[in-house]
Amino acid sequence: MRLLTHNMLSSNIKGVVNGFPLRIEAEKVVEKTVEMNGEFLKKMFEKVDWKALVEASRAMGYTELPEEVDSSILDSDEFLNRFHHALLELHLEEGALVCPETGRRFPVNKGIPNMLLHEDEV
């Protein structure tokens, strides 16, 4: 699971008010090379929750993203390379996503998060 996907997931358990961002418990992280597309990154920058991306990348062992940014940094090739790596090349292969409100763990196996809810959570 890429961090781009993670940045769009939240816990939909009945009664949960704050199900985003899901905390990552990484057991296995892999890096997969992806061709960089600067225009795509610039468009995605506005849609990504930056704080959640930074926390998720750190949970996966990548600490090269700055704490805070604004759109003026999009002119930096160094920043775009780091943003690209975190967003698209880091993959959570094995581990879990944890609801910040309930602590419910959603397993991630072979890169696929299982977000199915139990009957009492719907």
Side-chain angles (χ1 to χ4, degrees):
M1 178 192 69
R2 293 177 175 161
L3 291 184
L4 174 61
T5 302
H6 170 265
N7 205 270
M8 297 177 188
L9 292 175
S10 65
S11 175
N12 291 319
I13 297 171
K14 178 177 62 180
V16 168
V17 176
N18 183 22
F20 180 85
L22 296 166
R23 185 172 42 86
I24 292 179
E25 292 179 353
E27 293 174 16
K28 181 179 178 186
V29 176
V30 296
E31 295 182 18
K32 298 179 182 179
T33 303
V34 175
E35 185 176 336
M36 187 162 141
N37 180 332
E39 290 306 310
F40 172 78
L41 293 171
K42 289 175 183 179
K43 289 178 184 173
M44 287 308 301
F45 180 80
E46 299 300 324
K47 298 174 182 175
V48 167
D49 182 300
W50 188 257
K51 186 176 187 246
L53 178 63
V54 170
E55 289 175 9
S57 66
R58 290 187 177 162
M60 291 174 54
Y62 186 68
T63 60
E64 300 300 314
L65 295 178
E67 285 285 331
E68 296 181 15
V69 292
D70 61 49
S71 60
S72 66
I73 200 165
L74 294 174
D75 293 329
S76 166
D77 288 340
E78 181 181 348
F79 169 76
L80 286 178
N81 284 325
R82 290 176 180 182
F83 180 40
H84 166 79
H85 183 70
L87 197 65
L88 299 171
E89 294 185 327
L90 292 178
H91 289 254
L92 178 63
E93 282 294 307
E94 302 292 332
L97 304 175
V98 182
C99 174
E101 190 172 314
T102 66
R104 163 77 148 78
R105 296 176 84 249
F106 297 95
V108 177
N109 295 306
K110 297 180 183 174
I112 301 169
N114 181 347
M115 301 297 293
L116 293 175
L117 299 177
H118 297 129
E119 192 173 308
D120 62 333
E121 296 173 325
V122 180

